Amino acid sequence: MSAEMYTTVVLNNWNDYKKFTDDLSENWAFRGQQETGWELMNAIERTDFINLYKGIEADFVAEFQRGARNYLSNDETPHHLIEWLALMQHHGAPTRLLDFSKSPFIAAFFAYEQCVVTESNCIAIWAINMNFLKQRAATVIQQHFKRDMEEAANLVNEALFEKIFYANSHSFIFPVEPFRMNRRYSLQQSIFVSTANSYEPFMKQLQFLGPEISQSVIKIELPSALQKEVIRDLQRMNLNRASLFPDLDGYAASLRLRYNSMKTTEEALVAQLQKMEDGAFRFLP
């Protein structure tokens, strides 16, 4: 996709990012990526097998469903295809879903958590207007699945999603939310974006938005050198591995990141002197 189609916003400091995202409506969702050069790409298009034949994704999902039942209780077993894909995504199996978050700060955490810090490197946080995306996708779905769309009251429900998935023959993207979300995705305020087919890249299918893509898709670039400042600020918001991944692994990773982002003695002294110069620091009488 041409870089001129979506909007790129280059920001130099963390406060500018907070102000910029605060000015966006609640219709936007965000995805953080560690490298600004990375385009939006779901996991299935990064596999070696997806282009072997058209139905291979359906075969992959079916085999996962057969095998996963050996590890799931009846209560844990998904009821619908979208729930199966969310489960696959959760456990690292490639799907056509792409994770976004309704929180710009959670997206920033994933962008900065393990980014490579250099003077020239930047991270990227992608923002998509989900309300606009939903409306435009509904127009396309209406053309191809009119009766199903009417039966679903113009919503992409579980049955309609399954038809789009197995048709695997149209080119657009659309937001989806499983009725049952696991705890991790709830904490991360996740919303999925799905491609209508598995064989075209995400960025190519995004082009169905046409000229309005410049108003509905934004790539925000920030210096990777802000990592410590950002992680410290997010920690004060209680955004860390422990809160976003509520298990022992998440807790251990959160400790590592918190200690790595602590101020050095020199940084703490500089910050204290700056406060004194700004008149914000006062000694007790």
Side-chain angles (χ1 to χ4, degrees):
M1 174 179 290
S2 171
E4 288 74 29
M5 294 190 69
Y6 54 79
T7 296
T8 300
V9 174
V10 180
L11 302 175
N12 294 318
N13 64 72
W14 176 235
N15 285 332
D16 285 349
Y17 174 77
K18 291 195 285 187
K19 184 179 185 306
F20 182 84
T21 54
D22 190 52
D23 289 339
L24 297 176
S25 72
E26 294 182 355
N27 293 329
W28 293 79
F30 307 86
R31 176 178 175 81
Q33 300 195 153
Q34 299 168 22
E35 294 283 347
T36 188
W38 296 351
E39 293 190 326
L40 294 174
M41 180 184 294
N42 58 35
I44 200 76
E45 67 181 281
R46 293 195 296 265
T47 65
D48 294 329
F49 65 78
I50 192 57
N51 291 315
L52 292 178
Y53 56 90
K54 186 177 179 181
I56 194 168
E57 180 194 29
D59 292 343
F60 181 78
V61 172
E63 183 162 349
F64 180 89
Q65 290 172 321
R66 289 193 298 271
R69 294 179 193 276
N70 297 319
Y71 304 95
L72 301 171
S73 67
N74 288 335
D75 291 339
E76 295 171 325
T77 302
H79 297 155
H80 304 284
L81 174 63
I82 181 58
E83 294 175 0
W84 276 108
L85 294 180
L87 181 68
M88 293 172 68
Q89 190 91 341
H90 176 77
H91 289 285
T95 75
R96 66 171 73 176
L97 303 181
L98 198 59
D99 301 77
F100 280 75
S101 173
K102 297 173 185 177
S103 166
F105 301 113
I106 292 175
F109 173 82
F110 287 116
Y112 273 107
E113 182 191 21
Q114 298 181 20
C115 70
V116 177
V117 178
T118 67
E119 289 186 6
S120 59
N121 191 39
C122 288
I123 59 91
I125 299 165
W126 291 80
I128 295 182
N129 188 316
M130 291 294 167
N131 189 53
F132 179 76
L133 178 63
K134 182 179 180 180
Q135 292 174 1
R136 288 300 302 269
T139 301
V140 177
I141 295 170
Q142 182 75 20
Q143 297 171 1
H144 301 291
F145 303 91
K146 184 177 181 180
R147 180 177 295 179
D148 301 285
M149 196 69 165
E150 290 172 353
E151 292 176 354
N154 292 322
L155 298 174
V156 180
N157 61 12
E158 289 86 354
L160 180 51
F161 175 85
E162 191 163 336
K163 287 203 170 186
I164 297 170
F165 181 90
Y166 287 115
N168 200 28
S169 57
H170 305 291
S171 184
F172 62 94
I173 68 169
F174 59 103
V176 290
E177 293 185 80
F179 180 75
R180 295 194 303 174
M181 293 282 279
N182 64 47
R183 186 183 179 196
R184 192 183 94 182
Y185 284 115
S186 295
L187 291 171
Q188 295 173 12
Q189 301 181 49
S190 293
I191 180 171
F192 294 117
V193 173
S194 177
T195 55
N197 73 66
S198 61
Y199 50 85
E200 288 182 324
F202 186 98
M203 296 300 286
K204 182 176 181 180
Q205 296 190 60
L206 189 61
Q207 294 182 42
F208 93 103
L209 290 174
E212 288 88 357
I213 195 170
S214 62
Q215 286 85 46
S216 55
V217 179
I218 305 171
K219 183 173 78 167
I220 307 166
E221 298 182 355
L222 281 164
S224 65
L226 298 176
Q227 185 193 51
K228 284 191 175 184
E229 175 190 350
V230 172
I231 293 299
R232 286 195 293 260
D233 196 28
L234 295 177
Q235 180 69 40
R236 288 191 287 268
M237 301 178 196
N238 194 36
L239 290 180
N240 51 58
R241 271 271 161 181
S243 63
L244 297 174
F245 297 85
D247 54 27
L248 186 57
D249 290 341
Y251 173 66
S254 73
L255 282 182
R256 174 187 56 78
L257 192 60
R258 179 159 64 85
Y259 273 74
N260 280 342
S261 63
M262 290 175 66
K263 292 181 180 178
T264 64
T265 303
E266 181 180 352
E267 288 173 331
L269 179 59
V270 169
Q272 187 177 21
L273 291 173
Q274 186 63 52
K275 287 183 179 180
M276 292 175 65
E277 291 179 3
D278 294 342
F281 187 89
R282 294 288 185 273
F283 287 106
L284 292 174

